[in-house]
Amino acid sequence: QITLKESGPTLVKPTQTLTLTCTFSGFSLSTSGVGVGWIRQPPGKALEWLALIYWNDDKRYSPSLKSRLTITKDTSKNQVVLTMTNMDPVDTATYYCAHVSSSRNFDYWGQGTLVTVSS
Amino acid sequence: SYELTQPPSVSVSPGQTARITCSGDALPKQYAYWYQQKPGQAPVLVIYKDSERPSGIPERFSGSSSGTTVTLTISGVQAEDEADYYCQSADSSGTYVFGGGTKLTVL
């Protein structure tokens, strides 16, 4: 059974760096074809893909946010970490992590964590 | 940057067929995926690789592709199908993208 859970601060100040951790079980990020991605959703708005890391450490970033994002993995801990620099109130959103299957879709999702950016 | 375009809303009566479209220049070469999201919940994959249905998804959900447009079809719509639906794909460089979402209202 694949499960994922996001953790991190619920409130960050403008200009600060956000660090989110996705802790998962039921699969290994050392298995060929597997990946973990991050997606966010501002309140009442659409889903936005942020970043993705594959089993072979290949990384992909949203072009519009690439300069602010870093994604890393710790295979031994079954964790993927996303950092986003220079946070702004427009970054207020629910942040999800999700398992990426070999079919290149998000087939299992975490419950999401709401991050509010405010001074 | 690559974009996927969906209608903001679709409305149907119970028992009718709902069709939600998603348009994008790369769709003839890249697979599309569909997600259902109900209020306060994480999205759920309902269609992958244009037309494949994951286990546990009702048969009334189907997908199709034609040129630069993919379509999610829900036959015999039920009240429980009222939700937001998002298409997702990728471009040739491996950059992922979601559509703007379609709110399905069951009248």
Side-chain angles (χ1 to χ4, degrees):
Chain A
Q1 180 190 6
I2 290 176
T3 64
L4 305 98
K5 187 172 184 178
E6 307 85 354
S7 60
T10 58
L11 179 66
V12 297
K13 290 181 168 50
T15 75
Q16 286 187 336
T17 294
L18 171 68
T19 299
L20 293 173
T21 300
C22 177
T23 303
F24 56 85
S25 63
F27 68 96
S28 171
L29 247 184
S30 59
T31 301
S32 179
V34 171
V36 171
W38 286 93
I39 303 99
R40 72 178 179 180
Q41 185 173 38
K45 296 189 177 182
L47 300 171
E48 179 183 18
W49 173 71
L50 300 177
L52 190 151
I53 188 165
Y54 291 104
W55 85 102
N56 59 359
D57 211 37
D58 185 16
K59 302 168 186 178
R60 295 284 185 263
Y61 295 101
S62 166
S64 62
L65 293 167
K66 184 175 184 177
S67 64
R68 299 174 54 203
L69 295 173
T70 302
I71 190 169
T72 60
K73 63 180 174 70
D74 187 329
T75 304
S76 65
K77 292 183 178 179
N78 281 352
Q79 291 182 331
V80 171
V81 175
L82 180 75
T83 61
M84 180 180 291
T85 61
N86 194 24
M87 293 293 285
D88 184 272
V90 300
D91 297 313
T92 294
T94 296
Y95 287 75
Y96 295 97
C97 65
H99 172 269
V100 180
S101 74
S102 57
S103 297
R104 295 294 178 259
N105 54 253
F106 303 104
D107 53 356
Y108 296 90
W109 294 64
Q111 63 190 22
T113 185
L114 176 61
V115 178
T116 301
V117 184
S118 174
S119 56
Chain B
S1 62
Y2 183 42
E3 293 184 355
L4 296 175
T5 302
Q6 299 180 234
S9 63
V10 168
S11 299
V12 295
S13 298
Q16 290 190 330
T17 297
R19 294 180 178 85
I20 300 172
T21 58
C22 173
S23 299
D25 289 341
L27 290 178
K29 297 183 178 179
Q30 301 290 337
Y31 285 122
Y33 309 89
W34 289 94
Y35 302 86
Q36 176 195 67
Q37 186 182 34
K38 296 181 179 180
Q41 298 182 19
V44 173
L45 179 71
V46 294
I47 294 289
Y48 67 99
K49 286 187 174 180
D50 292 347
S51 59
E52 300 294 322
R53 194 173 52 249
S55 61
I57 300 301
E59 291 185 4
R60 63 181 182 273
F61 288 87
S62 64
S64 61
S65 176
S66 179
T68 58
T69 300
V70 294
T71 303
L72 172 68
T73 301
I74 310 172
S75 304
V77 167
Q78 301 182 5
E80 66 195 50
D81 299 330
E82 185 163 287
D84 293 326
Y85 290 85
Y86 294 91
C87 60
Q88 174 250 311
S89 188
D91 65 17
S92 56
S93 68
T95 298
Y96 285 50
V97 63
F98 285 93
T102 299
K103 180 176 181 59
L104 175 66
T105 300
V106 181
L107 301 170

